[in-house]
């Protein structure tokens, strides 16, 4: 009985439009996260300066992955110690056109783990960007792999306030990109 009800509920009347004629929703939230998304992965790295709430000057290196249609470009560089891990990421290429009605992409800010780098976000960034997201990951200096390799202290007391400040500064930086910047807005 249940099977026949289910089959009746799933049948399509002869006068219904064919399924192929329905528009496909390609906005990032409609894409199947188990499948590779339609975008290629662009990358850029930049540095910007901030003043912390307690008045210290701080320079932040920011790793940004973004949707693109480009398949060829420069090789990305995350740190001097490690080469890129994933193929298919190209640096300094044009940003894809957003499928959202407002023309923007959603943004994820990634905070790396203890003594890692912003570049360590690459695996998750690679997947999210293919689905139409921008991923930004600041280096939380001095809590970096290179710092401990050089025998320096990676977690001075102010580090615990700097991490959340770095994330806020990253959002502010992205929001304040000049109008001519491909990621502005």
């Amino acid at each position: 009985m249940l099977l026949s009800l289910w089959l009746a509920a799933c049948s399509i009347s002869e006068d219904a439009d064919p399924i192929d004629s329905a528009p496909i929703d390609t906005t990032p939230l409609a894409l199947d996260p188990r499948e590779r998304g339609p975008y290629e992965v662009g990358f850029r790295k930049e540095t910007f300066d901030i003043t912390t709430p307690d008045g210290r000057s701080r320079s932040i290196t920011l790793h940004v992955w973004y949707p693109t249609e480009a398949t060829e470009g420069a090789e990305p560089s995350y740190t001097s110690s490690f080469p890129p891990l994933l193929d298919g990421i190209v640096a300094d290429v044009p940003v894809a056109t957003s499928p959202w009605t407002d023309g923007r992409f959603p943004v994820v800010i990634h905070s790396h783990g203890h003594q890692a780098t912003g570049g360590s976000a690459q695996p998750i960034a690679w997947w999210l960007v293919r689905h139409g997201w921008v991923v930004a990951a600041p280096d939380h200096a001095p809590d970096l792999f290179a710092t401990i390799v050089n025998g320096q202290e990676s977690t001075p007391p102010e580090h615990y306030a700097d991490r959340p400040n770095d994330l806020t500064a990253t959002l502010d930086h992205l929001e304040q990109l000049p109008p001519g910047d491909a990621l502005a807005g």
Side-chain angles (χ1 to χ4, degrees), residues 45-128:
K45 184 163 60 171
E46 57 192 87
T47 302
F48 63 95
D49 297 319
I50 66 166
T51 300
T52 63
D54 62 354
R56 292 176 293 117
S57 295
R58 190 162 164 71
S59 186
I60 297 177
T61 299
L62 182 62
H63 306 258
V64 181
W65 295 266
Y66 55 88
T68 185
E69 295 171 1
T71 57
E72 294 182 10
E75 185 171 303
S77 172
Y78 304 116
T79 69
S80 59
S81 304
F82 299 103
L85 301 174
L86 298 172
D87 290 332
I89 298 176
V90 290
D92 304 319
V93 293
V95 177
T97 302
S98 172
W100 295 93
T101 56
D102 65 3
R104 302 185 301 174
F105 289 104
V107 176
V108 172
I109 305 296
H110 180 270
S111 179
H112 67 74
H114 179 53
Q115 299 175 339
T117 70
S120 64
Q122 177 198 212
I124 189 67
W126 185 84
W127 197 256
L128 286 169

Side-chain angles (χ1 to χ4, degrees), residues 8 13 20 30 39 68 82 84 94 119 144 152-153 156-157 166 178:
S13 67
D20 291 341
Y39 297 99
T68 185
F82 299 103
L144 303 171
Q152 299 168 345
E153 171 62 46
D166 291 351

